[in-house]
């Protein structure tokens, strides 16, 4: 947790673009406690100043915290929070890109807001659907992207 | 004799200032005071060569003020008022069969639910005096008359321009020196958020597809519409100039020749529900160079309606001409209020588009 002082209240959009059920967190004006995974988000830094720097820096740099944050997000949010992209490591980004290529090959239209967990789920669902369709017509099919 | 460069700045900056104090006498190394161009400028005179063709057109500083386009004035305030205020009513009622339901009544009931009204008055905002004067000596006036370039008219034009620039600032972002905010940064407005990242993990429009940009704008429009209880779909969208330029040139689809801007003007919730075209305009105060304490460009959506949002202002008036020695002075005065956000839920702001 980090302490911030905000000039005005604002919503931190951490992923979704649905205006009626947005994936957002409200921070009021004045001193507020910000979870570590959002403490170095550009909009949090834009709207105020960090009062407790020492708490923020190690949390952002600590790999264990980054992994935990990613796990939490993938478990609780079907569409991963794009607000957490700031903590993505290079490996995570390359994994995401690989998943995107695989999804494209399977004919899945990838939403830019999807994270790793959502893309894996969509790919699995697509593969299952392909396998089920193949079983119906009696043809054994291998998912093209998986083979590549 | 040497000449110093013309010392008028601000013609091409976003929020220019008129620099009057920089015109001063220049002291040379031989202890003589020059009567150079800076000095002669006080009367509007220049040295012109025999083979030089001087264009007599008066070129004033380039300044854009758009407040009159984007907000309605509250005109009932007067010079004698010290502050302006308004009331906001709250209605309450209970149901008949169920407390939160419809007011069904029985035939034999002797007591029935009634409607209650609470009228609240938010704290008023001050009407602050605004005043400047034009002043020129009789010598300046005589010289200007001889040259055919009226200094009094020029000074009044400068004063009026400063007045417009000050109103512009007050309307959009206010002035921290008197604790005032404007329509873009009012603390009453809570529908303020960052735009979502696109496929490239970036919020910037330059890194987004047309579909993602349309999603960003529609999210803002629907969010404001929903916040107002679906009463007031935004009638106007203000966008920082650079992103505005971007969407006015980028095609909405490779299959067509329509830009994102032209597409959005007619395909939005306002046009769909009322038939009215959505007004999308550039606002220089949303640019990160002008908006207070920011590193990103913004966009805003709101309903331009005097009942929702207005700016109280007492128009500029002048005193009779006053003489003081060889100087002729004319004071001008008025009062500027602060933007009244009657319904903060009818405004929404999104940041991070550039």
């Amino acid at each position: 947790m980090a302490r911030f002082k905000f000039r005005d209240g604002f919503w931190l959009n951490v992923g979704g673009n649905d205006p009626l059920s947005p994936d957002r967190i409200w921070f009021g004006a004045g001193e507020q406690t910000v979870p570590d995974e959002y403490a170095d988000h550009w909009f949090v830094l834009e709207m105020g100043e960090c009062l407790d720097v020492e708490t923020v820096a190690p949390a952002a740099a600590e790999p264990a915290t980054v992994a935990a944050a990613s796990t939490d997000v993938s478990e609780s949010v079907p569409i991963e929070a794009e607000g957490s992209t700031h903590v993505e490591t290079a490996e995570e980004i390359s994994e995401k890109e690989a998943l995107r290529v695989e999804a494209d090959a399977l004919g899945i239209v990838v939403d830019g807001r999807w994270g790793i967990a959502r893309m894996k789920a969509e790919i699995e669902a697509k593969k299952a659907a392909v396998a089920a369709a193949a079983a119906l017509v009696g043809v054994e099919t291998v998912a093209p992207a998986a083979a590549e | 004799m040497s000449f110093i460069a013309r010392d008028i700045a601000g013609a091409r900056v976003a929020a220019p200032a008129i620099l009057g104090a920089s015109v001063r006498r220049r002291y040379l190394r031989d202890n003589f005071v020059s009567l150079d161009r800076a000095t002669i400028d006080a009367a509007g005179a220049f040295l012109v060569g025999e083979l030089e063709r001087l264009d007599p057109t008066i070129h004033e500083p380039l300044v854009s003020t758009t407040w009159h386009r984007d907000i309605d004035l509250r005109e009932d305030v007067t010079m004698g008022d010290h502050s302006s205020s308004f009331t906001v009513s709250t209605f309450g009622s209970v149901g008949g069969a169920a407390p939160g339901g419809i007011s069904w009544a029985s035939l034999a009931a002797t007591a029935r639910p009634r409607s209650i009204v609470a009228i609240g008055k938010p704290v008023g905002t001050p009407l602050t005096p605004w005043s400047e004067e034009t002043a020129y000596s009789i010598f300046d006036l005589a010289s200007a008359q001889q040259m055919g370039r009226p200094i009094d008219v020029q000074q009044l034009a400068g004063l009026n321009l400063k007045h417009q620039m000050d109103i512009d600032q007050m309307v959009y972002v206010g002035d921290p020196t008197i604790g005032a905010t404007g329509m873009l940064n009012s603390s009453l407005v809570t529908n303020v958020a960052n735009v979502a990242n696109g496929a490239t993990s970036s919020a910037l429009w330059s890194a987004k597809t047309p579909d993602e940009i349309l999603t960003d704008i529609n999210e803002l429009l629907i969010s404001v519409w929903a916040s107002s209880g679906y009463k007031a779909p935004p009638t106007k969208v203000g966008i920082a100039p650079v992103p505005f330029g971007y969407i006015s040139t980028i095609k909405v689809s490779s299959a067509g020749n329509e830009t994102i801007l032209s597409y959005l003007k007619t395909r939005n919730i306002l046009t769909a529900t009322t038939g009215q075209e959505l007004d999308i305009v550039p606002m220089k105060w949303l640019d990160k160079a002008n908006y207070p304490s920011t590193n990103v460009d913004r966009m805003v959506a709101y309903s331009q309606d005097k009942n929702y949002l207005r700016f109280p202002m007492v128009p500029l008036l002048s005193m009779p001409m006053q003489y003081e020695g060889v100087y002729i002075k004319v004071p001008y005065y008025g009062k500027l209020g602060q933007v009244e956000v009657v319904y903060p839920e009818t405004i929404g702001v999104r940041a991070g588009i550039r």
Side-chain angles (χ1 to χ4, degrees), chain B residues 164-179:
Chain B
Q164 292 292 308
M165 290 166 65
D166 289 352
I167 297 171
D168 212 51
Q169 180 181 334
M170 284 297 292
V171 164
Y172 290 105
V173 296
D175 182 13
T177 58
I178 61 168

Side-chain angles (χ1 to χ4, degrees), chain A:
Chain A
M1 297 291 183
R3 295 291 295 171
F4 273 76
K5 186 174 184 181
F6 296 118
R7 293 184 301 276
D8 295 307
F10 67 99
W11 293 93
L12 178 64
N13 186 344
V14 294
N17 232 340
D18 184 342
L20 301 182
S21 55
D23 195 0
R24 294 179 188 161
I25 304 167
W26 170 256
F27 294 105
E31 289 194 23
Q32 300 289 338
T33 300
V34 178
D36 287 340
E37 59 264 42
Y38 305 125
D40 58 353
H41 192 285
W42 66 266
F43 196 50
V44 171
L45 299 171
E46 160 85 15
M47 294 302 288
E49 57 177 333
C50 184
L51 302 175
D52 188 357
V53 181
E54 291 179 3
T55 311
V56 179
E62 200 173 358
T65 310
V66 171
S70 301
T71 308
D72 290 341
V73 168
S74 61
E75 282 175 356
S76 59
V77 184
I79 296 176
E80 280 195 354
E82 283 300 312
S84 65
T85 51
H86 62 280
V87 295
E88 282 186 343
T89 61
E91 291 76 20
E92 286 172 327
I93 293 170
S94 63
E95 183 185 358
K96 202 171 171 182
E97 191 54 38
L99 287 169
R100 191 193 311 281
V101 172
E102 186 178 353
D104 286 343
L106 285 168
I108 300 171
V109 179
V110 178
D111 188 313
R113 295 163 290 174
W114 289 358
I116 292 173
R118 176 64 183 267
M119 279 203 279
K120 280 181 175 173
E122 293 288 335
I123 290 169
E124 288 303 318
K126 182 71 175 181
K127 282 180 178 175
V130 169
L136 278 177
V137 295
V139 179
E140 194 173 336
T141 308
V142 178
E148 285 169 12

Side-chain angles (χ1 to χ4, degrees), chain B residues 43 54 71 91 116 123 127 141 162 187 202 208 225 323:
Chain B
L54 177 69
I71 200 168
F91 295 163
I116 56 172
V123 176
L127 282 162
L141 188 63
K162 180 66 165 55
S187 58
S202 170
K208 284 184 173 175
W225 189 35
Y323 299 95

Side-chain angles (χ1 to χ4, degrees), chain B residues 247-323:
Chain B
I247 65 167
S248 63
T249 53
I250 299 297
K251 283 185 284 192
V252 71
S253 161
S254 57
N257 57 0
E258 195 170 15
T259 64
I260 297 173
L261 181 65
S262 61
Y263 179 88
L264 197 64
K265 277 187 173 181
T266 53
R267 294 169 183 82
N268 58 76
I269 54 170
L270 178 73
T271 310
T273 55
T274 68
Q276 183 184 344
E277 187 175 285
L278 181 64
D279 197 6
I280 306 174
V281 295
M283 289 184 187
K284 74 175 185 183
W285 292 100
L286 288 166
D287 189 287
K288 56 189 172 186
N290 297 327
Y291 193 92
S293 306
T294 190
N295 296 308
V296 294
D297 281 4
R298 284 169 160 74
M299 62 175 167
V300 63
Y302 64 101
S303 292
Q304 187 174 344
D305 187 321
K306 193 192 286 191
N307 289 324
Y308 300 159
L309 181 73
R310 67 259 184 128
F311 182 64
M313 184 180 89
V314 181
L316 208 56
L317 296 173
S318 65
M319 301 271 294
M321 194 177 286
Q322 300 170 9
Y323 299 95

Side-chain angles (χ1 to χ4, degrees), chain B residues 56-110:
Chain B
T57 308
I58 295 172
H59 297 101
E60 296 181 351
L62 296 179
V63 178
S64 167
T65 58
T66 52
W67 64 270
H68 38 76
R69 179 197 66 188
D70 294 335
I71 200 168
D72 292 334
L73 286 181
R74 178 176 169 179
E75 294 150 336
D76 62 334
V77 291
T78 67
M79 204 66 78
D81 295 330
H82 281 216
S83 64
S84 64
S85 62
F86 54 89
T87 64
V88 176
S89 296
T90 305
F91 295 163
S93 184
V94 295
I102 297 174
S103 300
W104 302 121
S106 72
L107 294 173
T110 54

